[in-house]
Amino acid sequence: MKIINTKDKNFKEEFENILARAKSDIKDVSKIVTNIIDEIIENGDEALKKHIEKFDKWEFKDANELLISTNDMEKAYKNIDDELRKSLHTAYDRIKAYHEKQLPKSWIDFEDNGTILGQKVTPVDRAGLYIPGGKAAYPSSLLMNAIPALVANVKEIVVCTPAPNNEVNELLLAACHLCGVSKVYKVGGASAVAAMAYGTKTIPKVDVITGPGNIFVATAKKLVFGEVNIDMIAGPSEIGILADKNAKANYIAIDLLSQAEHDEMASSILITTCEDLARKTDIEVETYLSKLERETIARKSIDERGAIIIARDMDEAIELMNDIAPEHLEVMTENPFELLPYIKHAGAIFLGENTPEPIGDYIAGPNHTLPTGGTAKFYSPLNVENFLKKSSIISFSKKAIQSLGEPCALLADTEGLTAHAKSVRVRLENN
């Protein structure tokens, strides 16, 4: 791995390259994605047919063939290994329990003058979940996206997932059955996002689209935002690790590779105060790489987008990591909780050597759909509130409008909005 020291003359330039990891080819693919979206808007299912034949390499005569039957989902659930089914249930229960704690409440407040103010929390009617396929299938992503929607009490959940050669991962179907999802369509990429955003004869229009995907999916989500809500514009996976001399090099190495094996664009960054640990970690990474099934992918990721940074002290290390704002942040120090107050920007924070990032991917409970590319500075993990909306509640009594009406009208006067002011004063005149 590339090892750089904050004392190096060219460190600033090297670090700027790390911060630029989020720069992708969205501009290059925007035209392609815009054309796909326009075709879906204009031709609906016919466009879906064309795109699926081109990208997923299978044909269908009737668009109803895109819908996976609930019988097939139930069959997949029953056919999986008993231990695997138990693991799926354990993950489901833990994710559900965590997200139930996130539920905001509606509230009403009564003031002495008769004013009633409040907030009404309501789920969206229909949520669209994009679950990646292709290079790998991610049943865990189905759980992480469907469960918060279920906790939010969304009436209808629509799932789109690519089916290369008309094949869908059995465990993904089992997860859909476990979550009670009945509408799962074999559609992927920008076509799926467009279909859910605008609706076709077969695929219903949704109110919010969540879920990770490749650059085409991310670009499509960006372009349809406003027609529907979205969770975030997520890019390639990434991990940052803060470590001191007490950390184990082999733990760090395999955790860095746990993200590198996702895809070639993933980034894995270690920042440590210990030069000896940096050197040992580099050696361990190479040792593990040759044993990985996805060695080619992981090696390219590590070579092109991985780095080990040696910092002067932990204060500098934390400052640099906050600048990076990683999707996943592991803290492997002697007292990791002591650093927690100083960590400002990270999608998910893993504290201690016994908390590797994959624990968060599958079984811990918090959501694994996280902000990437530095967007943890302003985005949050996917959560129940992504599937909810809030309405303000306002009710004034006669006493209340007599008390607050004239200040309101004066503010309207200053903005030159005569009807606004008169709307209030006509009530003051009649009271």
Side-chain angles (χ1 to χ4, degrees):
M1 290 182 72
K2 180 187 296 183
I3 300 177
I4 54 179
N5 195 306
T6 58
K7 297 176 183 177
D8 296 342
K9 289 182 179 180
N10 65 337
F11 173 74
K12 186 175 181 181
E13 180 182 347
E14 295 278 8
F15 190 65
E16 287 297 323
N17 289 333
I18 291 172
L19 295 181
R21 72 198 184 283
K23 291 182 180 178
S24 56
D25 299 324
I26 278 187
K27 286 185 179 180
D28 294 337
V29 305
S30 287
K31 186 175 181 180
I32 298 171
V33 174
T34 298
N35 289 337
I36 290 172
I37 293 172
D38 288 344
E39 288 179 2
I40 295 293
I41 293 172
E42 292 174 16
N43 300 314
D45 288 345
E46 283 301 312
L48 282 180
K49 186 175 190 298
K50 171 187 170 184
H51 300 161
I52 288 170
E53 288 175 2
K54 179 179 180 180
F55 298 115
D56 285 345
K57 311 301 181 186
W58 66 280
E59 299 180 13
F60 59 85
K61 294 181 179 179
D62 188 328
N64 290 325
E65 295 175 45
L66 295 175
L67 181 65
I68 299 172
S69 74
T70 54
N71 287 337
D72 285 344
M73 288 186 264
E74 183 178 10
K75 183 179 178 182
Y77 173 80
K78 290 180 178 178
N79 285 344
I80 61 174
D81 177 78
D82 287 344
E83 288 302 313
L84 187 54
R85 191 184 303 110
K86 288 178 183 178
S87 296
L88 206 61
H89 275 269
T90 298
Y92 177 95
D93 291 342
R94 293 188 61 84
I95 296 165
K96 184 170 182 286
Y98 180 88
H99 286 82
E100 283 175 340
K101 294 179 174 68
Q102 296 178 335
L103 265 174
K105 296 180 180 180
S106 298
W107 56 268
I108 294 283
D109 183 55
F110 299 89
E111 298 181 15
D112 292 341
N113 66 3
T115 300
I116 301 173
L117 302 176
Q119 176 176 274
K120 186 176 186 293
V121 180
T122 311
V124 299
D125 290 333
R126 185 182 289 129
L129 315 182
Y130 185 85
I131 308 302
K135 287 186 179 179
Y138 297 102
S140 57
S141 288
L142 187 281
L143 296 181
M144 292 291 182
N145 282 264
I147 292 172
L150 292 171
V151 171
N153 202 28
V154 173
K155 185 178 179 181
E156 186 176 351
I157 297 173
V158 174
V159 172
C160 282
T161 187
N165 302 310
N166 198 19
E167 296 178 357
V168 182
N169 182 274
E170 288 289 295
L171 187 54
L172 173 58
L173 296 184
C176 288
H177 175 75
L178 177 59
C179 292
V181 178
S182 60
K183 291 188 175 180
V184 182
Y185 296 93
K186 295 180 285 187
V187 183
S191 307
V193 174
M196 290 190 286
Y198 294 96
T200 73
K201 186 176 179 181
T202 301
I203 298 176
K205 174 179 170 56
V206 302
D207 301 305
V208 59
I209 297 174
T210 72
N214 62 19
I215 191 170
F216 292 93
V217 172
T219 303
K221 286 171 70 177
K222 183 175 184 178
L223 292 174
V224 303
F225 175 62
E227 182 68 31
V228 294
N229 198 6
I230 62 171
D231 51 350
M232 65 189 78
I233 302 166
S237 298
E238 55 191 36
I239 187 170
I241 300 178
L242 283 171
D244 61 15
K245 64 181 182 180
N246 300 287
K248 295 181 174 65
N250 61 327
Y251 284 16
I252 295 171
I254 196 60
D255 290 358
L256 292 171
L257 291 170
S258 73
Q259 296 310 291
E261 72 176 354
H262 270 296
D263 65 58
E264 297 90 340
M265 297 293 287
S267 62
S268 304
I269 311 294
L270 165 65
I271 305 181
T272 180
T273 53
C274 179
E275 184 170 352
D276 184 54
L277 179 68
R279 304 295 174 189
K280 288 180 179 178
T281 298
D282 183 38
I283 294 170
E284 291 288 348
V285 166
E286 186 58 40
T287 300
Y288 277 122
L289 262 173
S290 60
K291 302 174 184 176
L292 297 180
E293 288 185 13
R294 296 166 67 88
E295 178 189 356
T296 303
I297 292 171
R299 186 176 292 280
K300 186 172 182 181
S301 168
I302 287 294
D303 288 347
E304 296 182 3
R305 301 172 74 86
I308 298 174
I309 299 173
I310 301 169
R312 292 178 177 85
D313 52 38
M314 191 53 67
D315 287 341
E316 183 182 52
I318 293 171
E319 182 180 355
L320 293 172
M321 194 61 82
N322 278 329
D323 284 340
I324 293 171
E327 177 187 18
H328 308 98
L329 172 59
E330 292 186 359
V331 183
M332 292 197 200
T333 59
E334 186 175 11
N335 298 300
F337 277 89
E338 289 183 359
L339 303 188
L340 187 57
Y342 307 102
I343 296 169
K344 297 189 297 182
H345 309 305
I349 304 168
F350 302 77
L351 298 167
E353 66 175 22
N354 294 312
T355 319
E357 184 278 333
I359 284 290
D361 274 351
Y362 297 104
I363 211 82
N367 211 285
H368 79 194
T369 303
L370 302 166
T372 63
T375 61
K377 290 180 179 179
F378 49 85
Y379 272 131
S380 301
L382 181 68
N383 61 83
V384 172
E385 293 201 32
N386 286 108
F387 300 96
L388 299 170
K389 53 193 177 65
K390 297 164 186 174
S391 302
S392 302
I393 298 169
I394 307 166
S395 177
F396 268 38
S397 65
K398 285 185 178 182
K399 183 179 179 181
I401 200 161
Q402 286 170 350
S403 171
L404 296 171
E406 188 55 33
C408 176
L410 283 172
L411 290 171
D413 285 337
T414 64
E415 295 187 353
L417 299 175
T418 310
H420 278 64
K422 187 62 177 178
S423 171
V424 175
R425 289 191 174 114
V426 73
R427 287 165 169 78
L428 297 178
E429 294 164 3
N430 291 334
N431 283 333

